[in-house]
Amino acid sequence: MLDSNSFLIRSLLQDGFLSQADVERAAELARSSGKDLAETIVSMGVLSSRVLAIARAKITEYPFVDLAAYSVDITNATMLPRGIAERHGAFPLFVLDGLATVAMLDPLNLQALDQVRNAMACDIDPVICDPEPLHGLIARAYSMSSAMQEADAAPAAEAELTTGEEPIVAAVNQILASAMEAGSSDIHIGPDEHDLHLRYRVDGVLLEQQGPARAAHQGIVQRLKVMAKLDLTQARKPQDGKFRFTHRGQYVDVRLSLVPTIHGENVVMRLLRSASAIGPISSLGMAPDVEQPYEEFVRRPHGMILVTGPTGSGKTTTLYTALNAINTSDRNILTIEDPVEIRLPLVRQVQVNPEVGLTFASALRSFLRQDPDVILVGEIRDAETARIAVQASLTGHLVFSTLHTNDAVGAIPRLRDFELPLFAINAALLCTIAQRLVRRACEQCAVPERAGTAPPGGLGLSVDDMPGFVCGTGCASCRSTGYRGRLGVYEMLRMTPRVQQLVETMATAAEIRAAAESEGMRPMWRDGLEKARRRLTTVWELGKLRPIFEEEKRASLRSAA
């Protein structure tokens, strides 16, 4: 008599997902390892666990449910003992009119069905799920549930004594791991009077998550303080710290910030990427008229490159991508940052510490005695830092830094405000790049905009233009947001002889922009529209930058006039 695995393999062979050679090779490996045949096929990389689950649903005639498409209440863990859930790969998704819909790996396992039914004391309706997200849901739900139960059982005065216990530790670990899986940059844990809000910032947007109950807040905060080596007894003033954890074999650095509120300490954690997340310059998504000169400028022996934009616009990534491209053993690269966000091998990285007098300016002075080839200054904030940075670039060093200006041309008047000599600006500066980040349209669910859709204002578009763009309809891949990932929109001001002449004569920013555009500089708003036409993003994302783009566009039109 054939078992369910035999039917499954036969179905996969008939549908062309497997070859007979794949099955024979998997069978041999399964015999030597003692593992299940289907599990071995997945571990070989021949099929994904999702494809296998869908095939299992087809032959068993049970529905396949994509867990990513649902917001499952993790408190459902109280309905089923953890041992049964983990042993049989089962989790109750919801209960309606006494019937529980239960996600399972194998609903043909009658023993598993009986144990789940008896434990829940109600009728169950099994559905099949992809094993990987189901195991993740089980681990997350029971970790959070244990933390809630522990917090409810512990008296408030004894909250500190419970911080080292397994449930709270497991809950914190699950919050961190889930954030990494979601591609989050920040984790927010905020207490209200009756609720504890867990939110992840993904692609620049805060998304609400299911997390522990309000009663677990104190234990979670204390656990994080232990990890960051902060004062456990202090809850009335802000504290900042850092710690490191391992996720899928990679180190992840976390910057922790605690701020007291009327309902308890608010937690924000920034997840800092490793150097492995930094790709080549081509990965930034710059247009050729920006990427090619940037590639050339970062390999110059001396000069200054400035990247401008507000906080969170991707400046650090742009600069670190350049450092990564030239980071070889024959170059001495030094950085001064506030804080150090990405660790690079070979690079000597220093973090600002005003309490001991370590500022951008003081570190720069010391750097010049460290035989540097390349210097990165996290931000030029004052005249002294600007003067030393320009001096370094004029004395044979390549200097990277950032400024807070709206556009690339705005860097020139900002440098003038620091009372730098005009000839020094011209001699030192190679280029300035302005950038913003917009969300990428999800490739899985993006569809053309409907005819007749009114466009966002400020971009100069009409109703007739809209079918040339796309919008995301929302799917499991993008967590129903319509977007997945981010990309930059850029403009570059190159210090050509014409631009240098205008700087020398104290020309206005509008005059400099006019000259730069006449020589080929493409404004940031045009770069954004071009990427929207290529269906990389949506016009609605560009609409969020409307004030910036409108000002750029007005300046561009004034320049043309």
Side-chain angles (χ1 to χ4, degrees), residues 380-384 386-387 403 413-421:
I380 294 178
R381 298 175 178 174
D382 53 66
E384 184 182 11
R387 179 179 54 78
L403 284 174
R414 180 62 56 85
L415 292 176
R416 288 174 182 162
D417 291 341
F418 292 137
E419 299 183 353
L420 296 173

Side-chain angles (χ1 to χ4, degrees), residues 205-470:
V205 178
L206 278 175
L207 302 177
E208 189 84 23
Q209 308 293 315
Q210 287 197 36
R214 177 66 174 83
H217 172 250
Q218 182 65 17
I220 289 173
V221 169
Q222 294 295 82
R223 171 60 184 165
L224 291 171
K225 286 181 179 179
V226 169
M227 296 172 73
K229 297 181 172 60
L230 298 179
D231 186 349
L232 298 178
T233 66
Q234 181 56 259
R236 293 185 295 176
K237 69 178 184 179
Q239 292 193 73
D240 295 320
K242 58 185 178 181
F243 61 89
R244 173 181 281 191
F245 71 98
T246 304
H247 179 71
R248 295 187 181 273
Q250 297 289 326
Y251 286 119
V252 181
D253 290 302
V254 180
R255 209 167 69 221
L256 172 66
S257 173
L258 299 170
V259 173
T261 72
I262 59 173
H263 295 302
E265 290 172 278
N266 192 70
V267 178
V268 175
M269 290 179 276
R270 167 65 55 91
L271 305 180
L272 305 177
R273 295 164 299 168
S274 66
S276 62
I278 301 297
I281 290 175
S282 59
S283 68
L284 293 174
M286 293 173 167
D289 59 341
V290 176
E291 180 182 319
Q292 291 169 6
Y294 189 50
E295 287 264 15
E296 191 267 322
F297 287 140
V298 302
R299 288 174 170 81
R300 292 277 185 93
H302 56 83
M304 177 183 283
I305 296 172
L306 295 177
V307 179
T308 77
T311 300
S313 60
K315 302 188 296 296
T316 300
T317 298
T318 298
L319 290 176
Y320 264 86
T321 299
L323 290 187
N324 199 42
I326 60 176
N327 185 20
T328 54
S329 59
D330 61 342
R331 284 189 178 92
N332 183 23
I333 302 177
L334 300 171
T335 77
I336 175 69
E337 305 169 68
D338 183 20
V340 174
E341 292 195 14
I342 303 169
R343 302 184 186 191
L344 285 177
L346 282 180
V347 177
R348 305 303 94 196
Q349 298 172 270
V350 177
Q351 185 157 310
V352 166
N353 187 354
E355 293 181 3
V356 297
L358 184 58
T359 63
F360 284 120
S362 65
L364 263 178
R365 283 194 296 269
S366 298
F367 279 5
L368 295 177
R369 297 189 289 273
Q370 288 276 312
D371 186 29
D373 296 298
V374 180
I375 298 172
L376 183 146
V377 185
E379 183 183 347
I380 294 178
R381 298 175 178 174
D382 53 66
E384 184 182 11
T385 305
R387 179 179 54 78
I388 302 171
V390 167
Q391 178 187 355
S393 67
L394 293 176
T395 54
H397 308 91
L398 183 62
V399 178
F400 295 91
S401 192
T402 70
L403 284 174
H404 283 288
T405 64
N406 279 338
D407 56 22
V409 174
I412 301 298
R414 180 62 56 85
L415 292 176
R416 288 174 182 162
D417 291 341
F418 292 137
E419 299 183 353
L420 296 173
L422 299 179
F423 77 87
I425 295 175
N426 278 337
L429 197 57
L430 298 173
C431 71
T432 65
I433 297 174
Q435 67 178 78
R436 298 293 187 278
L437 291 178
V438 295
R439 290 184 292 173
R440 285 183 177 271
C442 176
E443 294 180 359
Q444 303 298 317
C445 65
V447 297
E449 284 282 5
R450 290 176 299 175
T453 301
L459 298 178
L461 300 175
S462 69
V463 171
D464 295 335
D465 295 322
M466 293 302 284
F469 301 103
V470 296

Side-chain angles (χ1 to χ4, degrees), residues 477-517:
S477 178
C478 63
R479 295 171 174 258
S480 301
T481 63
Y483 298 95
R484 188 175 185 184
R486 289 194 288 180
L487 75 158
V489 291
Y490 306 90
E491 68 179 19
M492 173 185 281
L493 172 68
R494 289 180 286 175
M495 296 303 288
T496 63
R498 174 62 179 147
V499 170
Q500 289 178 328
Q501 182 184 16
L502 289 170
V503 172
E504 192 75 42
T505 58
M506 290 292 290
T508 65
E511 291 170 329
I512 295 173
R513 173 174 285 280
E517 290 187 7

